[in-house]
Each structure stands twice: as structure tokens, then as C-alpha cells.
């Protein structure tokens, strides 16, 4: 008996909450009584679903009756940037990775139109996890380039669901970015928040190494072995950092719809410096509170909510942490507003966590890559790109102004050690340095770790920047020079070219 009463009380409460949230309800009060499930025939004129590109989420349906909702989704195969100066041919739902966000209401009858752009090379289909029926729509939606298919389903369960392509080889279609989220709102709608954002993780397998420049092909072997080159939020490194970070102000509520397209990895989703007040883990209906890190399975999703309290940059990561700092799984929520010293004494962030993503953008790196590809790389291109890359890699120790830290990290500015054999720096960057060195009359006996996670052109540009800054002697280091040293060649006693 107690249970029944409690359940009733909860129901009445959520009913009351919805009444407060949506003043327009009065007109629809009749249908309100069926909120436990509102599966009558579609009412009113058919509605075209508003689809949004990530990180945007369509507005609430604000609807209190079941409708017929038409979804038009087009598959587009296109080359896009996966990292600065690195391009990849993505297969997309709606032209973005992840695909367009779809929002409907429980009880809606969804008429789904899947179009396969005539310029595409591959057939595709769609499996929506929010569909009840074999294949989640996959069998009814197999579509050749230049064709369109149509199927209809009733959104029976509320929740946040992944959709993805399920055309063979399925793993390859998913790895190329063919996934997205569909939100099925509960009949009474979701509690109002100030911001909703759409973030989706995926793992990517390229023939080249992490950040290796140029057009990269899909690598089936790496994919089968589950050895991703990139682990990314919203399909590209930097898609949610710098001037593309998502934003909020202090004392606002934020709801993130977090999906994981996989194809292989599960995500330990964490926002550095924030605690999730409420999580619907696995997208289910139970609400979990006070969560630090929530697991998002491949082919799963969750919604997390929190109130922003302290201004600053909050770094969202997959807390399998090498993925964040060495494979790209890093995004930023920028919170503007007044400091609250009673909650956090502050020292604005944590460039430690932002690393080489602390730059507002990496345009200089892209520009240098394009110039190098076109055979017209200038010294200035290299210096500009090197400046962006130096920040967050070398600057952690040698400092942004190259002065180092007295007794701990030697200076690069006007370093006589560097000037004596500039090309020896290639070896230092690749292999690190330890043992006694004397720089400008001061002895250092410490350890610099190898920086060989940087690729050849990154090291070339960084060193060229260092050589042309702070009164150093100038000159340039080219990608080939670094490649030779990495391959085991010698720096030839610092001879200049
Ligand atoms: Cu596909």
C-alpha cells in the first residue's frame, strides 16, 4: 500500500512540476492524464522535426499530445578536418559528426526519410536504438546513393538513444562517423535548464599516426585491433575547444546529452572541476546524483546535469586519460561570470589541463600544413605554427618567454648551448636530455623527457620558432631534418644548411 501511495505522490509531484514549467498546459489538460503513456493516434497536422548540428540541441517539443513527426535525414560522405592539417573522409548523417540531433516526444509516430546523397559512393541505412522492431529500422532503410527510403515507427520509450548506420561492414560505417542521438522526451517534457548541449565521443582509425598531416585513410586493421589513432568528441580535434568551446554563465543549469558512437571504446566521461548533480546513466529513467565520472558504453548515451558555480574553463575528457591528452578526447565548457571565492579560491585555470589546446585556435598550424603541402612553406609560417605548438608543450618547463626556471629548467632564450649547435635540438626534442649541461654559465643536471609524441613537422616548427625568438640566432629546421634524426640519422655535429 505504502508503495502505491509513494508512486502516486511522485506522479502527482511531476505532474505539478510540469504544470509550473509549462503554462500552456491548461489547453491540453485532457491529455495530461495519459502521461504514463500517451500512445493514441497522432493528432494535428504532421510536424517536421527540427534537426540540429552538434553541439546544438533542438528546442523542446513543448507538446502535450502525440503527433506525426517527419524526419528528413540525408547521408553525406565528405572530407573534413579531423585535426589541424589532417583530413579524413567522414560518412555523416546530415553533414556532421555526430549526425543531426533528432528530438521527438514519447508517443509520437515518426515518419523517417533517409536520403543518400547522389554524390556518395556507398549504400547506407539507419538503426535507431529508440525504435522497437527488428534492426531498429535498418532493414527498412537500406538506401543506395541517389535514393531515398521511408519507414515509420512509434516512439514507445522515452530516453536518449543512439542511432547509427548498420550497413556492412558495420564497424567501418560507424568508425567513419555514422552515428548520432535521438531524444525521446517523456510525455511531460524534461525539466527546464538554461543550456542543453550535444556531445558525442567516437574512436577513429587512420593509416597515419596521430596528427600526421595530410589526407588520412581508414585503417581496418587498427580498427579490428581496437587501436584508435584518435578518440574525439564531435568528430574532430578542437571541435569544442578554443573559440568553439561550449559556453554558460555562472549559476546556470547545463544539461549535456553525451553519446558514444564507438565503434570500439567505452567512455569514462568526466568534466574536470565539476560534479554532475544529476545523471541519467545509460540514458535510463533512474536519476543518479553527485556523480564524478559516468560510463558511456559504445552505442549508449547519458544525460548529465549540473549547475555552474565558479567561472573558468572546464575540460571535458574521457578519463582514460591518454585518450584525452594524446588522442584528442578533450573538449571545453567555458563558464563566464563573477568569481565566488568561498567556493574556489581561483587562479584561473589549469593550463595544465588544457595543454596545447589552450590556444583559441590552431589556424597557424593549419596554414603551415597547407603551405607545406603546396611546396610554399615560409619561415614565417613555421614560426607562427611553432608558436602555437610551443605553448602547452615546451612552455610548461621552459616558460612562455623561453627564460626557463632558475636552477630547474634552462633557458631557451639566448641559450649559448642552443646557439652552439642548433640542430642538436632535434635530437633533444626527440630523445630528451639528461646529465650535466651548462647553459649561459649555469650548470643544470636534470632530466628532460623525450617529446617524441610530437610528429616531425611539429618538432620542425617548434624548433624553428625557438631559433627565431628571444634573440636566438635564427635559421630553420625542416620536417625532413627531423625525419632523418628520428630514423636514426645523426645531427651531423650541428652543421648548418
Ligand atoms: Cu553507412
Amino acid at each position: 500500500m505504502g508503495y502505491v501511495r509513494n508512486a502516486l505522490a511522485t506522479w502527482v509531484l511531476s505532474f505539478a512540476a510540469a504544470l509550473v514549467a509549462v503554462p500552456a498546459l491548461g489547453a491540453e489538460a485532457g491529455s495530461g492524464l495519459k502521461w504514463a503513456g500517451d500512445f493514441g493516434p497522432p493528432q494535428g497536422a504532421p510536424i517536421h522535426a527540427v534537426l540540429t548540428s552538434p553541439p546544438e540541441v533542438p528546442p523542446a517539443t513543448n507538446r502535450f499530445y502525440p503527433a506525426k513527426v517527419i524526419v528528413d535525414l540525408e547521408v553525406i560522405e565528405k572530407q573534413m578536418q579531423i585535426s589541424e592539417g589532417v583530413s579524413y573522409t567522414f560518412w555523416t548523417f546530415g553533414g556532421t559528426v555526430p549526425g543531426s540531433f533528432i528530438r521527438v516526444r514519447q508517443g509520437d509516430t515518426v515518419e523517417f526519410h533517409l536520403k543518400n546523397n547522389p554524390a556518395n559512393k556507398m549504400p547506407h541505412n539507419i538503426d535507431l536504438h529508440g525504435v522497437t522492431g527488428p534492426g531498429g529500422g535498418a532493414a527498412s532503410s537500406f538506401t543506395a546513393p541517389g535514393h531515398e527510403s521511408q519507414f515509420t515507427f512509434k516512439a514507445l520509450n522515452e530516453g536518449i538513444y543512439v542511432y547509427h548506420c548498420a550497413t556492412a561492414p558495420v564497424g567501418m560505417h560507424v568508425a567513419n562517423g555514422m552515428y548520432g542521438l535521438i531524444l525521446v522526451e517523456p510525455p511531460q517534457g524534461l525539466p527546464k535548464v538554461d543550456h542543453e548541449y550535444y556531445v558525442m565521443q567516437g574512436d577513429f582509425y587512420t593509416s597515419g599516426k596521430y596528427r600526421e598531416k595530410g589526407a588520412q585513410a581508414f585503417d581496418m586493421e587498427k580498427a579490428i585491433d581496437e587501436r584508435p589513432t584518435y578518440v574525439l568528441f564531435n568528430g574532430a580535434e578542437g571541435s569544442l575547444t578554443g573559440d568553439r568551446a561550449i559556453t554558460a554563465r555562472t549559476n546556470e543549469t547545463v544539461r549535456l546529452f553525451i553519446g558514444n558512437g564507438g565503434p570500439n571504446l567505452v567512455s569514462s566521461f568526466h568534466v574536470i572541476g565539476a560534479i554532475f548533480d544529476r545523471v541519467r546513466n545509460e540514458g535510463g529513467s533512474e536519476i543518479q546524483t553527485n556523480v564524478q565520472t559516468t560510463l558511456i558504453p559504445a552505442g549508449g548515451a547519458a544525460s548529465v546535469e549540473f549547475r555552474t558555480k565558479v567561472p573558468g574553463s572546464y575540460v571535458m575528457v574521457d578519463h582514460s586519460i591518454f585518450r584525452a591528452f594524446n588522442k584528442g578526447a578533450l573538449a571545453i565548457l567555458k563558464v563566464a561570470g563573477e568569481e565566488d571565492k568561498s567556493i574556489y579560491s581561483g587562479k584561473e585555470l589549469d593550463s595544465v589541463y588544457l595543454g596545447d589546446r589552450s590556444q583559441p585556435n590552431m589556424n597557424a598550424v593549419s596554414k603551415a600544413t597547407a603551405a607545406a603541402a603546396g611546396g610554399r612553406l615560409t619561415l614565417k609560417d613555421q614560426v607562427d605554427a611553432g608558436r602555437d605548438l610551443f605553448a602547452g608543450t615546451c612552455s610548461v618547463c621552459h616558460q612562455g618567454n623561453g627564460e626557463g626556471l632558475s636552477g630547474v629548467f634552462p633557458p631557451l632564450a639566448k641559450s649559448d648551448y642552443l646557439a652552439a649547435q642548433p640542430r642538436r635540438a632535434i635530437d633533444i626534442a626527440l630523445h630528451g636530455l639528461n646529465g650535466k649541461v651548462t647553459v649561459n654559465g649555469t650548470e643544470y643536471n636534470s632530466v628532460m623527457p623525450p617529446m617524441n609524441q610530437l610528429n616531425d613537422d611539429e618538432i620542425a616548427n617548434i624548433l624553428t620558432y625557438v631559433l627565431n625568438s628571444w634573440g636566438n640566432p635564427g635559421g630553420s629546421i625542416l620536417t625532413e631534418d627531423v625525419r632523418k634524426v628520428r630514423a636514426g640519422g645523426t645531427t651531423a655535429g650541428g652543421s648548418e644548411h
Side-chain angles (χ1 to χ4, degrees):
M1 210 42 209
Y3 168 74
V4 173
R5 218 182 20 248
N6 283 341
L8 189 66
T10 317
W11 184 85
V12 169
L13 271 177
S14 56
F15 185 84
L19 269 174
V20 173
V22 186
L25 184 75
E28 314 288 348
S31 57
L33 291 172
K34 285 179 260 149
W35 279 352
D38 192 0
F39 304 112
Q43 299 171 29
I47 293 166
H48 282 265
V50 176
L51 304 185
T52 56
S53 299
E56 303 307 328
V57 174
T61 65
N62 281 324
R63 202 156 25 76
F64 294 90
Y65 57 91
K68 175 173 165 184
V69 178
I70 299 165
V71 175
D72 274 303
L73 194 57
E74 183 177 18
V75 175
I76 302 167
E77 300 168 2
K78 64 195 263 209
Q79 234 193 31
M80 294 191 286
Q81 177 170 298
I82 190 166
S83 181
E84 274 75 31
V86 189
S87 63
Y88 186 80
T89 301
F90 292 92
W91 299 348
T92 74
F93 286 108
T96 55
V97 177
S100 308
F101 196 110
I102 306 166
R103 184 169 194 151
V104 299
R105 176 182 179 272
Q106 185 181 15
D108 282 347
T109 297
V110 182
E111 183 183 293
F112 209 100
H113 297 251
L114 189 70
K115 296 174 184 170
N116 192 348
N117 186 286
N120 290 350
K121 305 265 186 299
M122 308 293 286
H124 300 284
N125 65 6
I126 193 165
D127 166 354
L128 298 119
H129 292 181
V131 167
T132 307
S140 348
S141 60
F142 183 84
T143 313
H147 288 72
E148 173 179 340
S149 44
Q150 182 185 331
F151 63 100
T152 300
F153 67 92
K154 188 161 271 201
L156 295 182
N157 299 67
E158 61 115 342
I160 177 79
Y161 296 98
V162 168
Y163 67 78
H164 62 91
C165 181
T167 302
V170 177
M172 181 177 178
H173 285 251
V174 173
N176 283 341
M178 299 200 75
Y179 44 75
L181 292 181
I182 175 169
L183 172 66
V184 182
E185 288 178 357
Q188 71 277 20
L190 291 172
K192 241 187 105 40
V193 290
D194 296 309
H195 301 276
E196 290 183 326
Y197 288 112
Y198 172 24
V199 178
M200 200 158 178
Q201 183 170 320
D203 28 297
F204 295 87
Y205 304 81
T206 63
S207 46
K209 286 203 302 264
Y210 176 59
R211 290 187 181 171
E212 193 168 312
K213 302 295 188 268
Q216 296 295 328
F218 170 70
D219 187 325
M220 188 66 160
E221 203 172 295
K222 280 191 192 170
I224 293 171
D225 292 347
E226 305 191 9
R227 282 188 292 115
T229 330
Y230 293 87
V231 181
L232 300 171
F233 294 120
N234 290 5
E237 225 186 343
S239 62
L240 294 169
T241 64
D243 39 25
R244 280 176 294 210
I246 56 176
T247 57
R249 292 195 55 81
T250 44
N251 207 27
E252 287 187 325
T253 46
V254 177
R255 177 182 293 134
L256 305 176
F257 295 105
I258 310 289
N260 185 2
N264 288 318
L265 303 186
V266 302
S267 172
S268 302
F269 184 76
H270 176 77
V271 178
I272 298 173
I275 297 157
F276 305 142
D277 297 324
R278 294 150 55 91
V279 174
R280 286 183 59 166
N281 46 306
E282 296 174 9
S285 304
E286 296 306 317
I287 289 170
Q288 173 80 286
T289 53
N290 301 320
V291 176
Q292 59 190 306
T293 300
T294 191
L295 196 66
I296 324 268
S303 75
V304 310
E305 294 169 18
F306 51 95
R307 179 172 285 278
T308 54
K309 294 172 187 123
V310 178
S313 292
Y314 291 81
V315 184
M316 302 181 252
V317 296
D318 179 339
H319 214 294
S320 290
I321 211 75
F322 272 103
R323 298 178 190 167
F325 297 106
N326 299 83
K327 295 190 171 190
L330 192 148
I332 290 170
L333 164 70
K334 262 200 196 119
V335 177
E338 292 300 305
E339 300 275 355
D340 184 344
K341 301 278 184 202
S342 74
I343 300 178
Y344 187 69
S345 65
K347 159 154 170 197
E348 158 70 58
L349 179 95
D350 292 66
S351 52
V352 182
Y353 277 129
L354 292 172
D356 61 2
R357 299 285 111 183
S358 53
Q359 299 299 314
N361 62 59
M362 289 252 145
N363 294 342
V365 177
S366 303
K367 185 160 174 273
T369 310
R376 48 193 158 72
L377 183 70
T378 64
L379 183 71
K380 183 172 183 306
D381 292 332
Q382 281 199 284
V383 169
D384 290 345
R387 183 181 298 112
D388 279 358
L389 294 162
F390 183 89
T393 51
C394 321
S395 71
V396 181
C397 299
H398 294 289
Q399 306 301 296
N401 58 9
E403 300 286 347
L405 275 185
S406 168
V408 190
F409 302 121
L412 299 179
K414 294 200 185 68
S415 157
D416 58 358
Y417 184 89
L418 179 67
Q421 290 183 40
R423 294 162 70 75
R424 175 171 58 188
I426 303 174
D427 199 68
I428 296 176
L430 279 171
H431 304 118
L433 186 66
N434 59 66
K436 281 186 190 146
V437 289
T438 303
V439 183
N440 300 345
T442 305
E443 193 175 275
Y444 296 82
N445 188 357
S446 183
V447 178
M448 168 171 153
M451 306 292 285
N452 57 4
Q453 80 281 10
L454 299 168
N455 60 35
D456 297 344
D457 57 82
E458 288 174 324
I459 291 180
N461 293 342
I462 288 174
L463 293 179
T464 301
Y465 164 67
V466 169
L467 288 174
N468 289 277
S469 304
W470 318 304
N472 285 339
S476 95
I477 304 277
L478 299 175
T479 306
E480 298 86 84
D481 302 331
V482 183
R483 189 178 303 137
K484 277 189 209 132
V485 177
R486 199 192 292 265
T490 118
T491 48
S495 70
E496 284 300 280
H497 52 197

